[in-house]
Amino acid sequence: MIVFRYSLYVIYFLIFYYPFLLRADTSDFVKKGFDLAERQYALLYQHHTDLSNYPRSADRNGKTTFTDIRDWTGGFWPGCLWYVFEYTGDDRWRDAALKWTNSLRQNQFNTQHHDIGFVMNSSYGNAYRLTGDSTIKSILIQSAKSLLTRFNPKVGAIKSWDVFPSWDGKHRYQFPVIIDNMMNLELLFLASKLSGDSVYRNVAIRHAQTTLKNQYRPDYSSYHVVSYDPNTGAVLSKETAQGFSDNSAWARGQAWGLYGFVLMYRETKDPMYLQAAQKMADFYAKHPRLPNDGVPLWDFDVDQPGFVPNWTYQKDDFETIPRDASAAAVTASALLELVDYVRPEQQQEYLDLAEKILRSMGSSNYSSEVGANGLFVLKHSVGSIPHKGEIDVPLIYADYYYLEALIRFNKRKHRFAQLINEWQQMNKQKVQALQDFQRQKFGLFIHWGLYAIPGGIWNGKKMEDMGSPSVAEWIQLVAKIPRSAYAQLADQFSPQAFDADKIVRMAKDAGMKYLVVTSKHHDGFALYHSEVSSFNVLQATPYKRDVIQELYDACIRHQLDFGVYYSHNIDWRDGSDAQYAVSKAQNDLTNIKTNDFGANRWDPSPNSYASYLNEKAIPQVKEILTRFKQLKYIWFDMPGLMTAEQSFRFYKTVYVCNPGVIVSERIGNGMGDYAIPGDNRIPEPSERFGQPWEAIGTFNHSWGYKSYDHDWKDVDELRYWLLEIVSKGGNYMLNIGPDAQGNIATPVKNNLAILGKWLRFNAEAVYGTSPWITTHEGPTLIRITDTEQREKEGFRASFTPSDFWFTKKNDCVYAMALVAPKDGIVHLKSLNQNKAKVKSVEILGYGQVRFKQDKHALRLKLPKKTQNSTLGYTLKIKLG
């Protein structure tokens, strides 16, 4: 059951504060159009509360006029609200749209007119598209069933109006079909996808075929009305109802047909429909009487020779021929979809026309002033001049298709290329920061949060007994812990053993050059004092200390670069279902499987995902970057179903706040500054990266603290990881997970201390180096593919004196060995005289040694002091 939860005053709030709503950057006229829509609709929503009357137009005095549920326009008002929600991501608009959408529920059984498609697709269709609410499916299917009752197989079309006298009074319609009916076919295609029943689709195709055959002239202008004999299917007449004359081109009728045949091609991929749509588009675009601003006269043939109206027309009634913004809006929206289906040379022509129309309608010539125009967005539309109704006034469906066109413009497929281009320009400014990052080679990753309290056990069950993944920081998902129950862990979080200085000194002594800590993980809990969400370490726990601030300050004191991890896509507390339902609703229509990995589907927050981005994620990223001004890295994670525009929004937010901060690959959609090969994974020698890269690994088998996992990496395994990664040109970020009290496991501290001692001797061969032509020589080959493999197989390696890992810096090559030969004899095959000319050889920490070089190898003998080293040795080889 869909429930409306917000009171009216919160929408009224937007009137005054709309400029401060958070949204993605967009084209100027798109932003301008939606800003106006927000202000107008906030007023209209606040002043009009009768759910049985739907805003339709305004009189000449600017007073809003309404219609009831029986009218064909009822769905456009909630539809407009849905588009405002889609653009802003503000749940207040979502709930306003739901409220008005639900008022139309009974219309699913309406068989009295063909426009059930208009009514239900613009309201419930958008509701399903933007919320993924599966309960809406049955309403849409029933609406399509009601529409099918008007289909006549002999005619091959859906009946538009019931039996009544023709507009000119000369005959009586028995089975009239109007061009507008093409717009209702979208509901039938949707119903087929939702139900799996092809009957709806088949009827839509049959209706389109009949319309194309009988309703279009050779120049692809359309008749408004075709009257059929319901018993034989014979055409009885072709005429107009709302156009200038029977043989004229009524502007909105042209738009309805163009839009309808574009959607027919989308759904069938039948080239017949694409050809027809292009002809209709060209008729509009190339018409000699199309005004320069792209907004047509209400009929293309008004006052032209050979076009005689069958109604009483007085030319003097009009100072100028009225324009129809509604026809322009529908046309622009159709063109923006058609662009995706035509050849490249035609795309720009249609795109330019659509943009011209939208820019024209965004000008003061067509856009309202706030508070005027019946509280609609667009002025200057025409309902029906022959019936002296709604002439040069706003129309709700003009607003609807205008907003749809703005949304489509903002989502254009070429938009991705534009985003990538803008991303590249920002990324180019980070060359120095990325070079500094590449030189550092070794960093500390810290995963810490409320999940350290259960330590991988919930209600007596271990992670592995509850599901996957088995890493401890995912316990809320694996155990399906309700948000309210998980939040109670905050009452127990008081890590008295936490000491930021000790952790930073430990990292520095281990040879690490930077530190990245989880500012907010998937559980939504912030380890710093966030003004955006009270679910943070100062406000939700008894600890009352800012963990991130303390670590940041310690890093500054000890000259370690500082970065934060931030889970931008997944937030089990406030991030709804990570837009799974919405993505699934869209993917199901095209038989694409939707991956729900990481999504909170057991107890999602009631807000929308868009609202989460606007009200928590983006603001928290801003406050992190604003507060920690010397921040070097932001490590986003798990982009999941995020769109390119959403990833770009995070990237640009970071760049605007601090253009020197570099961003991890997992921001998503190819918009990271540096690559991450995978969790607990060392890349294969053949893998190549187009950007700097960082391998990440755990000290045991979990990122967060797991109380029963004591399988710690020993020094040799840690050195292997470091050498494998550095020799291939990457950085190694090694993770620790403090326990609930802030303690670091003793083996972690001990092994890091030993590793640090080794690095102090071999620093020159590690930091600031790049890969040589050979990365490794020797028999020991170990593949590290993921966390599960290491946990299952363990680390079994027997390093030999013949194993070397290589790096280079300037004119020197470094050969690092983990084991010294007992006899002291060294053979380096990769440095034979055919590969390189060696000028000198030095053992780091000892000094130069004598060597020989032949066609087989570089040969030397280690001094006894080096032969006895338990941590191996490193050769510095200067090349000529």
Side-chain angles (χ1 to χ4, degrees):
M1 184 68 181
I2 301 170
V3 180
F4 181 74
R5 299 189 307 277
Y6 291 90
S7 57
L8 297 174
Y9 80 90
V10 293
I11 294 294
Y12 188 67
F13 170 87
L14 295 173
I15 300 167
F16 303 100
Y17 293 98
Y18 83 99
F20 304 102
L21 288 171
L22 295 161
R23 59 171 66 88
D25 292 336
T26 184
S27 300
D28 56 341
F29 62 87
V30 177
K31 182 180 186 300
K32 183 179 177 183
F34 276 102
D35 283 350
L36 177 59
E38 285 185 78
R39 300 183 76 178
Q40 290 288 76
Y41 295 165
L43 288 167
L44 182 55
Y45 184 89
Q46 192 262 337
H47 290 309
H48 178 59
T49 59
D50 184 354
L51 292 174
S52 65
N53 283 305
Y54 301 85
R56 173 167 168 147
S57 182
D59 62 23
R60 286 302 183 91
N61 297 317
K63 183 179 180 181
T64 311
T65 59
F66 303 90
T67 188
D68 62 27
I69 196 171
R70 296 170 295 177
D71 190 64
W72 70 281
T73 64
F76 291 120
W77 169 233
C80 287
L81 298 177
W82 280 120
Y83 284 137
V84 174
F85 164 66
E86 183 172 7
Y87 176 75
T88 65
D90 191 315
D91 280 1
R92 290 170 287 196
W93 291 113
R94 177 193 69 169
D95 293 339
L98 284 171
K99 180 179 180 180
W100 278 95
T101 294
N102 280 334
S103 72
L104 291 162
R105 182 181 295 267
Q106 193 58 30
N107 236 329
Q108 64 184 298
F109 304 106
N110 187 348
T111 61
Q112 300 307 304
H113 61 70
H114 68 132
D115 287 321
I116 189 74
F118 272 125
V119 175
M120 302 304 277
N121 201 46
S122 57
S123 56
Y124 279 101
N126 277 315
Y128 179 66
R129 181 175 66 87
L130 293 173
T131 69
D133 186 340
S134 59
T135 64
I136 294 173
K137 291 183 182 181
S138 62
I139 296 172
L140 289 165
I141 294 168
Q142 177 56 52
S143 300
K145 287 181 181 178
S146 297
L147 181 56
L148 284 193
T149 64
R150 303 184 67 82
F151 177 70
N152 183 324
K154 290 185 178 179
V155 176
I158 297 167
K159 187 177 184 179
S160 296
W161 302 318
D162 288 334
V163 176
F164 75 107
S166 64
W167 299 110
D168 59 11
K170 294 180 180 179
H171 53 272
R172 189 173 183 82
Y173 291 135
Q174 296 297 322
F175 198 98
V177 176
I178 62 175
I179 192 63
D180 317 38
N181 213 343
M182 286 297 299
M183 301 292 287
N184 293 298
L185 304 185
E186 192 162 21
L187 174 66
L188 297 181
F189 283 110
L190 179 57
S192 268
K193 294 169 187 173
L194 296 178
S195 67
D197 191 338
S198 62
V199 63
Y200 307 103
R201 172 187 173 88
N202 293 340
V203 166
I205 293 172
R206 183 81 188 281
H207 180 97
Q209 291 171 339
T210 301
T211 299
L212 190 58
K213 176 183 177 182
N214 297 323
Q215 213 131 355
Y216 278 87
R217 308 178 185 107
D219 65 354
Y220 281 86
S221 62
S222 69
Y223 292 100
H224 183 193
V225 187
V226 175
S227 179
Y228 292 93
D229 183 325
N231 297 312
T232 66
V235 174
L236 302 178
S237 66
K238 299 182 180 184
E239 52 198 272
T240 195
Q242 292 168 255
F244 184 69
S245 65
D246 288 346
N247 61 333
S248 70
W250 174 48
R252 193 162 64 251
Q254 291 302 121
W256 293 143
L258 169 61
Y259 192 111
F261 281 101
V262 171
L263 80 85
M264 285 302 302
Y265 180 72
R266 177 216 306 158
E267 299 297 342
T268 68
K269 293 299 183 283
D270 189 327
M272 170 179 69
Y273 297 129
L274 178 59
Q275 181 184 34
Q278 289 180 258
K279 298 279 189 182
M280 295 168 200
D282 292 342
F283 177 89
Y284 186 105
K286 298 176 181 178
H287 201 286
R289 290 187 288 280
L290 179 68
N292 289 334
D293 63 5
V295 181
L297 310 176
W298 70 277
D299 190 299
F300 283 98
D301 301 310
V302 174
D303 295 331
Q304 296 300 309
F307 297 92
V308 180
N310 58 18
W311 50 282
T312 304
Y313 171 66
Q314 298 293 331
K315 183 177 181 179
D316 294 340
D317 288 347
F318 309 99
E319 292 183 11
T320 59
I321 299 173
R323 302 287 193 91
D324 188 1
S326 73
V330 175
T331 299
S333 186
L335 288 172
L336 286 167
E337 181 175 358
L338 180 59
V339 166
D340 291 331
Y341 307 139
V342 299
R343 295 190 303 273
E345 60 268 24
Q346 295 174 295
Q347 290 178 340
Q348 198 59 48
E349 178 185 349
Y350 294 153
L351 187 60
D352 288 347
L353 176 56
E355 183 171 346
K356 177 196 284 188
I357 291 171
L358 294 178
R359 289 191 180 277
S360 295
M361 291 194 294
S363 72
S364 58
N365 293 334
Y366 295 95
S367 285
S368 173
E369 294 181 358
V370 176
N373 196 42
L375 305 180
F376 295 93
V377 175
L378 292 182
K379 304 180 287 187
H380 305 314
S381 289
V382 170
S384 178
I385 288 183
H387 303 99
K388 297 181 171 56
E390 299 176 328
I391 302 171
D392 195 24
V393 293
L395 289 170
I396 187 63
Y397 47 91
D399 279 15
Y400 176 84
Y401 288 104
Y402 173 55
L403 297 180
E404 180 182 80
L406 293 178
I407 289 286
R408 285 182 167 182
F409 187 90
N410 215 36
K411 287 183 175 180
R412 283 272 315 122
K413 286 182 179 178
H414 82 287
R415 173 78 173 143
F416 180 71
Q418 292 175 340
L419 294 180
I420 290 296
N421 181 64
E422 190 173 349
W423 172 83
Q424 288 172 338
Q425 298 308 310
M426 292 185 283
N427 174 259
K428 286 178 183 178
Q429 305 306 310
K430 302 184 182 184
V431 172
Q432 186 60 52
L434 287 167
Q435 288 176 349
D436 292 343
F437 172 68
Q438 281 185 293
R439 284 193 284 266
Q440 291 181 314
K441 299 303 176 186
F442 194 27
L444 179 68
F445 210 178
I446 304 174
H447 276 66
W448 199 32
L450 300 183
Y451 40 81
I453 297 170
I457 300 174
W458 192 261
N459 290 335
K461 290 185 177 181
K462 294 181 179 179
M463 295 288 297
E464 293 78 3
D465 298 327
M466 294 184 285
S468 179
S470 61
V471 284
E473 70 279 4
W474 281 67
I475 194 165
Q476 186 179 3
L477 177 143
V478 175
K480 301 294 184 287
I481 306 170
R483 291 178 302 119
S484 59
Y486 188 85
Q488 293 175 20
L489 290 174
D491 298 334
Q492 306 171 49
F493 191 76
S494 186
Q496 298 305 310
F498 170 69
D499 188 321
D501 263 310
K502 284 185 178 180
I503 291 175
V504 171
R505 283 200 306 269
M506 178 189 73
K508 186 157 187 168
D509 290 345
M512 294 167 167
K513 300 296 185 181
Y514 62 99
L515 179 153
V516 175
V517 58
T518 49
S519 62
K520 187 206 78 168
H521 205 264
H522 305 328
D523 59 1
F525 175 73
L527 275 176
Y528 71 98
H529 185 199
S530 173
E531 300 292 342
V532 174
S533 168
S534 61
F535 194 45
N536 68 70
V537 67
L538 263 76
Q539 292 172 276
T541 79
Y543 191 52
K544 307 304 179 189
R545 284 168 56 185
D546 193 317
V547 170
I548 303 301
Q549 185 71 57
E550 292 184 22
L551 282 168
Y552 172 77
D553 292 341
C555 283
I556 300 301
R557 282 194 298 273
H558 297 288
Q559 297 181 316
L560 223 66
D561 281 351
F562 182 78
V564 296
Y565 169 109
Y566 187 87
S567 178
H568 62 325
N569 172 47
I570 299 175
D571 188 309
W572 296 323
R573 179 177 175 83
D574 300 307
S576 187
D577 64 350
Q579 67 187 1
Y580 169 78
V582 172
S583 301
K584 187 176 187 300
Q586 297 176 31
N587 290 341
D588 283 355
L589 301 180
T590 50
N591 297 316
I592 296 174
K593 186 177 180 180
T594 305
N595 189 344
D596 68 348
F597 183 63
N600 183 347
R601 295 183 59 199
W602 68 94
D603 181 30
S605 57
N607 59 306
S608 69
Y609 180 73
S611 178
Y612 155 71
L613 293 182
N614 286 345
E615 296 171 17
K616 183 176 183 181
I618 293 292
Q620 282 193 329
V621 170
K622 285 183 177 180
E623 67 182 3
I624 287 169
L625 289 158
T626 302
R627 181 181 303 176
F628 307 114
K629 296 188 182 300
Q630 295 186 53
L631 187 82
K632 294 294 183 71
Y633 321 111
I634 188 160
W635 218 96
F636 293 115
D637 195 20
M638 295 283 295
L641 300 169
M642 290 183 71
T643 66
E645 290 183 334
Q646 289 166 341
S647 293
F648 177 80
R649 185 179 176 191
F650 277 101
Y651 190 90
K652 189 167 185 179
T653 297
V654 173
Y655 185 84
V656 169
C657 291
N658 187 339
V661 171
I662 61 172
V663 175
S664 73
E665 175 187 65
R666 293 187 187 177
I667 192 172
N669 294 290
M671 294 185 185
D673 295 316
Y674 60 97
I676 309 294
D679 288 4
N680 280 307
R681 180 176 181 272
I682 298 176
E684 297 290 331
S686 60
E687 290 184 63
R688 296 291 181 268
F689 299 92
Q691 8 170 223
W693 60 275
E694 174 185 69
I696 56 173
T698 52
F699 226 112
N700 52 0
H701 304 302
S702 180
W703 302 92
Y705 173 70
K706 187 188 280 189
S707 58
Y708 52 92
D709 181 357
H710 307 295
D711 185 10
W712 308 107
K713 289 181 172 66
D714 63 21
V715 173
D716 278 350
E717 185 172 0
L718 291 175
R719 288 195 300 157
Y720 174 78
W721 272 77
L722 185 60
L723 293 184
E724 273 286 307
I725 292 163
V726 169
S727 67
K728 294 172 181 174
N731 284 17
Y732 179 32
M733 188 160 68
L734 175 62
N735 179 81
I736 62 171
D739 68 14
Q741 288 300 311
N743 294 301
I744 309 299
T746 299
V748 170
K749 293 186 288 187
N750 292 342
N751 291 346
L752 283 179
I754 299 170
L755 182 63
K757 179 182 176 182
W758 177 83
L759 270 169
R760 281 191 290 277
F761 274 100
N762 298 282
E764 185 181 341
V766 174
Y767 307 115
T769 61
S770 57
W772 188 49
I773 54 175
T774 301
T775 61
H776 172 256
E777 172 185 319
T780 305
L781 297 173
I782 306 169
R783 296 183 70 244
I784 307 291
T785 60
D786 50 55
T787 305
E788 291 75 15
Q789 180 236 357
R790 166 63 179 83
E791 187 172 14
K792 181 180 178 180
E793 299 177 7
F795 184 80
R796 298 183 181 89
S798 180
F799 300 114
T800 73
S802 299
D803 285 300
F804 295 92
W805 287 265
F806 300 93
T807 60
K808 74 171 184 177
K809 187 189 300 180
N810 300 324
D811 59 351
C812 293
V813 171
Y814 299 89
M816 292 171 277
L818 297 180
V819 178
K822 292 181 179 180
D823 60 2
I825 304 299
V826 175
H827 300 272
L828 272 172
K829 297 178 181 178
S830 298
L831 281 156
N832 65 65
Q833 63 186 16
N834 296 322
K835 293 286 184 71
K837 179 176 176 57
V838 175
K839 293 179 67 176
S840 65
V841 178
E842 174 186 342
I843 301 175
L844 293 184
Y846 178 82
Q848 289 197 355
V849 294
R850 299 173 64 183
F851 67 93
K852 290 183 180 180
Q853 194 180 19
D854 58 32
K855 65 180 180 180
H856 298 292
L858 172 70
R859 306 176 190 274
L860 57 92
K861 184 169 183 177
L862 299 175
K864 289 186 177 180
K865 181 179 177 181
T866 307
Q867 293 177 34
N868 297 327
S869 171
T870 59
L871 291 177
Y873 62 95
T874 297
L875 300 177
K876 178 181 178 180
I877 304 158
K878 190 171 184 179
L879 303 181

